[in-house]
Amino acid sequence: MSQMIQLDPVAALMLAIIVALWVAAAVASIIMGLRRDVIAKTRARDIERQGALLASAPAVPFRVGLDGRIGADPRLAHWLGLPAPPTTIDEMAGQGMAGQDGGGISVVDAEGLAADIAAANQAGRAFERVLRLAGTDRVLLARGRPSPPAIGDGVIVWLFDNSEAERAITRLSAEGQAVSDALDSCLALIEAAPFPMWHRGPDLKLALVNSAYVAAVEGESAEEVVTGGVELVDSADGRTPRATALAARDSGRIKTHVVPVTLGGQRRTMRIVDVPMGEHGVAGYAFDIQDLEQTRGELGRFQEAQRELFDRLSAGVAQFGPDRSLIFCNQPFLQFFSLLPEWMSDHPEFDRVLERMRETQRLPEARDFPGWKADRRAWFNAVDAVEENWTIPGGQHLRVVAQPLPNGGLLLFFEDRTEQVQLSSARDTLLRVRAATFENLFEAIGVFASDGRLHIWNQSFRDIWGLSDADLAQNLRVDAMVELVAAKLADPSRAQLLRDLVRIATVDRQARTGRMALADGRYFDFAVVPLPDGNALFTLLDITASRGIEEALRGRADALEEADKLKTAFVANMSYELRVPLTSIAGFAELLDGGYAGEMPPIAQEYVKAILASVGRLGSLVEDVLDLTQGAAGNLPLSEEQVDMGALLTGAVAAARPAAEGKPLQLLVDVEPGLGEIRGDPRRLRQIADHLLNNAITYTPPQGRVTIRVHGDDDMIVWVVSDTGPGMDAAQRAGIFDAYPRIDASNDEGKQLIGIGLPLTRQLVEAHGGSIALESEPGRGTTVTIHLPRRHGEHGHA
């Protein structure tokens, strides 16, 4: 058993104290270490933040030591456009850098920057220098100063990108120059202005006047006038010029005053205008309006004289201002439209005047009155005068002239032309009657003017002498006509007689009669009569036929009539004979088509259908021939029924429409609603419609037009069918209604082989107590007009 060591209490106490101190020192060391670690981390974070702040700064710093070496942020190379950060000032210009293809500052700027850095090292002063990057428009601003001791010896240089500022300076300089140029131009314009102009400063004293102002106040120079404060006028509206300028500035509105002034010893009228310019004062200018005032007065007097003249006119006159209100109207205008002067004195607007005229029934009838009114309102904006003719209720005719005025107003003239229109209508009617009379006279007529030219003629006169359209178009002289017609006379030497006859009638005013013979054996009685208007009437009457010839012709006519009866009987018998084989053919063809003879190949079926179609057409043709012969013999049977003509025509048009659409051509129908009934044979009336429509469609070329118009009254139905076909000449028209017209062999389509439709139509129309007429000209189509009485006498045959 070992013996324990016994420590002296004092020694134990000392040992405990030493251990405690050692532990305390260890704890203190740990605490200080932890504190230093926190401080280090804090400083590291501060340094990191400062580095980030420096990296985001709009400037790049670098230090140039006393040995000329550069210590810089890597961003410096990017700012200078270099591949690597420069280490010397020369390398900032791209000198001495391997692989350098451009970039950096210019050599001159590098030399200047080096000199500035050397001066800063020696004198310790700051500097600024503008550096331009080669090959770009970028501009850098270098600001340098000696570096603080904490950083080291040398110079700290900060680079700022000054490109935008330089561009802004350049732009502002250009704008400033432009403003300066504009100001110079404005001042030059003010100086060159032919009327006084001035400017008052904020204190409302004259600060600028032009040469016209100086001349107006009879000053020596602009400086003298401005210095002396010489005003153009003494007062305006009882206030001094400065007071009127003050009123314009305080109100912020342009002020205008018209005042009399004395210029060059003459009394003139001036318009003074003050223009406020805010804190920059008030500008002003003045116009001499003496001539304008005189012109305005003369214009007023002219307008008064014009209105007095309008009041004395028989035509109605109304004047509207730019705002479209009535400013003047004369008495005829009020009378034309039955308007009261009291109502017109309120200056009504244009639309209200038209509405009041409509209320008095003094305007033309218009279904769309608002649209009609809008069209007339457009007169205010028209470029030239607009002329219209109005027919108002009661048969009055007005000629309306709308003249737009330069000031935006409108002047209207209304001339009553009722009497002129009636006279013109009567004259036209007389001319038409005269022309129709001349054309239908048995005699040949020609009217020669006093100068010997053929002025009027009829068809007989033209045909007798064989004159052409070209001769007639140039109003042939009698001398030239003598040469053309000499060969027509049995004795050509007597051709001069025509000229002598015309001269006797036009110059000597004497009438002559006589007889002449033509080379073709015809004889004519002629008469030449002087007319009251100085012209001469030349007539020819054919007297070739004698009484014996008339008898011979009558006998011949009887023979022809007998032959026609034999022909009619033969055609009727043949029509009956044709019915029997046609009936047999149709019956057997229908059996074949119905399959009673067994199934047939498709081609045979087509042949059978063609046979049936041909038999149907031939049967219809035979029926027409039979009807035609019965009508010619007076044996055409008709029934008596009440026939709805509207329904009948609608059915006929519907049946004809496929043929019209197949061509194709337009089929226009205008049947009066409520056409009513007619007493007659419905089958025969339908035949009339079918024949007319088929005939029109057949002879109208593709893309043509067939028009059916039907209207009626209590006694009669008028039925018109027109087409745009080739038309017919006089010879064709003459025989179109013959009972047995000739075959037209010129038709390539086979649609006019016999042509009995119109003769049969004529017989059917006349059998109903009506009449039929045909009008046609080559190249102008054909029009057939039928008049059917609603009721006619009892009959059983045509």
Side-chain angles (χ1 to χ4, degrees):
M1 191 173 171
S2 62
Q3 188 176 357
M4 296 181 60
I5 301 175
Q6 297 291 328
L7 294 177
D8 188 340
V10 175
L13 179 61
M14 292 298 293
L15 181 60
I17 292 173
I18 291 171
V19 172
L21 291 174
W22 183 82
V23 171
V27 172
S29 297
I30 293 172
I31 293 174
M32 291 179 64
L34 293 174
R35 182 176 297 169
R36 288 177 179 175
D37 182 64
V38 171
I39 292 173
K41 289 181 179 180
T42 300
R43 289 181 177 177
R45 285 195 297 272
D46 290 342
I47 293 173
E48 183 179 358
R49 284 196 299 271
Q50 291 174 1
L53 181 62
L54 184 62
S56 63
V60 174
F62 63 91
R63 186 177 69 85
V64 182
L66 295 177
D67 57 356
R69 306 295 293 181
I70 294 177
D73 188 283
R75 289 186 301 154
L76 181 61
H78 174 70
W79 275 48
L80 297 178
L82 298 173
T87 59
T88 64
I89 297 299
D90 291 339
E91 290 183 0
M92 290 181 66
Q95 298 178 350
M97 296 189 69
Q100 175 64 26
D101 294 330
I105 63 177
S106 66
V107 175
V108 175
D109 287 344
E111 292 176 352
L113 181 60
D116 289 341
I117 291 173
N121 283 326
Q122 293 177 2
R125 66 172 180 268
F127 66 86
E128 285 188 1
R129 176 171 291 275
V130 176
L131 306 176
R132 301 185 182 277
L133 297 183
T136 68
D137 61 348
R138 292 185 60 200
V139 178
L140 301 179
L141 177 63
R143 290 180 179 176
R145 63 178 58 251
S147 63
I151 297 177
D153 296 333
V155 176
I156 293 294
V157 180
W158 286 84
L159 290 182
F160 299 89
D161 191 343
N162 208 39
S163 301
E164 289 296 331
E166 284 292 324
R167 283 194 285 269
I169 291 172
T170 302
R171 185 179 68 256
L172 291 175
S173 297
E175 292 176 356
Q177 185 62 39
V179 171
S180 177
D181 294 342
L183 181 59
D184 292 341
S185 300
C186 183
L187 292 175
L189 178 63
I190 293 173
E191 179 63 22
F195 50 86
M197 298 184 70
W198 63 89
H199 175 254
R200 300 179 186 274
D203 58 355
L204 300 182
K205 293 182 179 180
L206 288 175
L208 174 69
V209 296
N210 65 351
S211 298
Y213 188 102
V214 175
V217 298
E218 300 180 354
E220 294 294 334
S221 65
E223 291 77 10
E224 177 189 357
V225 172
V226 171
T227 303
V230 181
E231 297 290 349
L232 182 66
V233 297
D234 296 332
S235 63
D237 296 337
R239 293 186 294 181
T240 63
R242 292 185 63 180
T244 58
L246 177 62
R249 187 189 66 180
D250 292 344
S251 64
R253 295 195 299 268
I254 297 175
K255 296 291 186 179
T256 303
H257 309 278
V258 177
V259 296
V261 298
T262 301
L263 297 178
Q266 295 182 352
R267 197 66 173 171
R268 311 292 293 181
T269 302
M270 302 285 289
R271 177 180 285 118
I272 309 297
V273 181
D274 288 304
V275 182
M277 303 181 68
E279 61 184 10
H280 301 291
V282 177
Y285 57 90
F287 283 109
D288 186 347
I289 59 172
Q290 182 68 29
D291 295 339
L292 178 63
E293 290 297 320
Q294 292 178 352
T295 303
R296 183 178 287 112
E298 293 174 358
L299 177 61
R301 290 188 294 273
F302 170 77
Q303 289 178 340
E304 289 297 327
Q306 184 185 56
R307 291 178 178 179
E308 291 179 2
L309 174 63
F310 286 162
D311 276 330
R312 289 175 171 80
L313 292 177
S314 60
V317 180
Q319 183 176 356
F320 295 86
D323 59 352
R324 301 184 180 179
S325 62
L326 182 70
I327 59 177
F328 171 77
C329 63
N330 63 356
Q331 286 299 321
F333 175 81
L334 298 176
Q335 295 170 1
F336 282 166
F337 300 105
S338 302
L339 300 175
L340 297 176
E342 296 79 8
W343 185 79
M344 305 299 284
S345 63
D346 292 336
H347 304 290
E349 202 264 341
F350 180 76
D351 284 7
R352 290 184 57 204
V353 174
L354 291 181
E355 291 167 359
R356 181 58 64 91
M357 291 161 64
R358 187 190 187 199
E359 292 173 1
T360 59
Q361 296 184 351
R362 307 298 289 172
L363 284 184
E365 294 293 338
R367 293 184 179 180
D368 180 16
F369 181 68
W372 185 90
K373 186 168 58 176
D375 292 340
R376 303 309 172 280
R377 195 161 48 242
W379 287 346
F380 284 88
N381 301 320
V383 178
D384 300 318
V386 180
E387 183 173 341
E388 290 185 350
N389 291 312
W390 289 2
T391 302
I392 59 180
Q396 189 175 15
H397 296 267
L398 294 180
R399 174 174 173 261
V400 183
V401 178
Q403 176 65 57
L405 300 178
N407 65 348
L410 183 68
L411 189 62
L412 295 180
F413 295 90
F414 299 88
E415 179 185 1
D416 189 351
R417 303 195 64 185
T418 305
E419 184 176 355
Q420 291 91 323
V421 171
Q422 292 174 347
L423 290 174
S424 177
S425 177
R427 182 199 62 186
D428 293 342
T429 302
L430 289 175
L431 291 176
R432 288 195 298 269
V433 169
R434 185 186 70 176
T437 302
F438 280 6
E439 285 298 328
N440 291 279
L441 285 176
F442 182 74
E443 295 89 351
I445 293 179
V447 177
F448 290 86
S450 58
D451 59 356
R453 290 186 178 276
L454 182 61
H455 185 58
I456 300 174
W457 62 91
N458 64 358
Q459 188 67 31
S460 298
F461 188 89
R462 171 182 173 175
D463 294 340
I464 289 173
W465 300 117
L467 300 176
S468 65
D469 291 335
D471 296 332
L472 296 173
Q474 60 184 354
N475 296 111
L476 193 67
R477 291 183 61 89
V478 67
D479 296 336
M481 181 179 168
V482 167
E483 299 177 3
L484 293 175
V485 305
K488 297 281 185 180
L489 297 174
D491 183 2
S493 62
R494 299 196 63 190
Q496 297 298 329
L497 176 63
L498 297 177
R499 181 183 58 190
D500 295 338
L501 290 172
V502 171
R503 182 187 60 78
I504 291 172
T506 55
V507 178
D508 299 339
R509 311 299 295 162
Q510 297 179 7
R512 290 288 186 272
T513 60
R515 179 173 297 178
M516 66 174 59
L518 299 187
D520 59 5
R522 289 182 296 167
Y523 291 86
F524 291 89
D525 278 343
F526 68 82
V528 182
V529 181
L531 298 177
D533 57 358
N535 297 337
L537 176 65
F538 193 104
T539 65
L540 292 168
L541 179 62
D542 191 346
I543 59 169
T544 305
S546 64
R547 192 174 189 85
I549 296 175
E550 291 177 1
E551 290 295 333
L553 290 176
R554 187 177 295 110
R556 183 181 179 185
D558 293 339
L560 290 175
E561 184 178 354
E562 185 65 27
D564 186 63
K565 290 180 179 179
L566 292 175
K567 180 183 66 174
T568 301
F570 172 76
V571 172
N573 292 332
M574 287 298 297
S575 299
Y576 280 114
E577 292 296 331
L578 285 173
R579 280 185 172 183
V580 176
L582 281 177
T583 303
S584 299
I585 295 171
F588 286 118
E590 288 174 356
L591 290 175
L592 291 174
D593 187 52
Y596 292 100
E599 185 177 354
M600 294 184 296
I603 187 66
Q605 293 177 0
E606 293 181 7
Y607 291 160
V608 170
K609 293 186 182 298
I611 292 173
L612 288 173
S614 298
V615 168
R617 288 195 296 270
L618 186 56
S620 177
L621 189 58
V622 170
E623 289 292 335
D624 287 346
V625 171
L626 182 59
D627 289 342
L628 187 63
T629 55
Q630 287 179 328
N635 298 320
L636 182 65
L638 290 178
S639 65
E640 287 283 348
E641 300 180 21
Q642 290 298 118
V643 182
D644 185 345
M645 288 300 294
L648 185 141
L649 292 172
T650 300
V653 171
R657 192 171 296 279
E661 294 175 350
K663 257 193 150 175
L665 53 82
Q666 271 187 298
L667 188 59
L668 305 179
V669 181
D670 181 11
V671 178
E672 180 181 357
L675 188 60
E677 296 181 343
I678 185 172
R679 188 165 181 81
D681 189 328
R683 187 173 72 87
R684 300 302 189 186
L685 292 173
R686 176 61 183 267
Q687 277 184 277
I688 295 173
D690 291 340
H691 282 309
L692 289 180
L693 289 174
N694 291 338
N695 190 72
I697 293 173
T698 299
Y699 289 96
T700 302
Q703 309 303 327
R705 183 176 65 254
V706 174
T707 304
I708 304 99
R709 294 187 177 89
V710 185
H711 64 277
D713 53 22
D714 294 340
D715 300 322
M716 189 73 66
I717 289 180
V718 180
W719 185 351
V720 180
V721 178
S722 60
D723 61 59
T724 58
M728 292 177 285
D729 56 21
Q732 291 173 316
R733 294 195 304 271
I736 195 65
F737 290 118
D738 290 349
Y740 299 101
R742 292 181 300 173
I743 296 174
D744 185 3
S746 64
N747 193 306
D748 297 333
E749 299 178 1
K751 294 181 178 178
Q752 192 192 355
L753 294 178
I754 296 183
I756 62 175
L758 286 179
L760 179 57
T761 300
R762 177 183 180 180
Q763 289 187 359
L764 295 176
V765 170
E766 292 178 349
H768 284 83
S771 63
I772 183 170
L774 181 141
E775 297 179 4
S776 182
E777 292 291 340
R780 297 186 178 181
T782 302
T783 299
V784 178
T785 304
I786 294 176
H787 290 76
L788 288 174
R790 292 189 182 272
R791 295 178 181 84
H792 53 89
E794 295 295 332
H795 60 79
H797 303 281

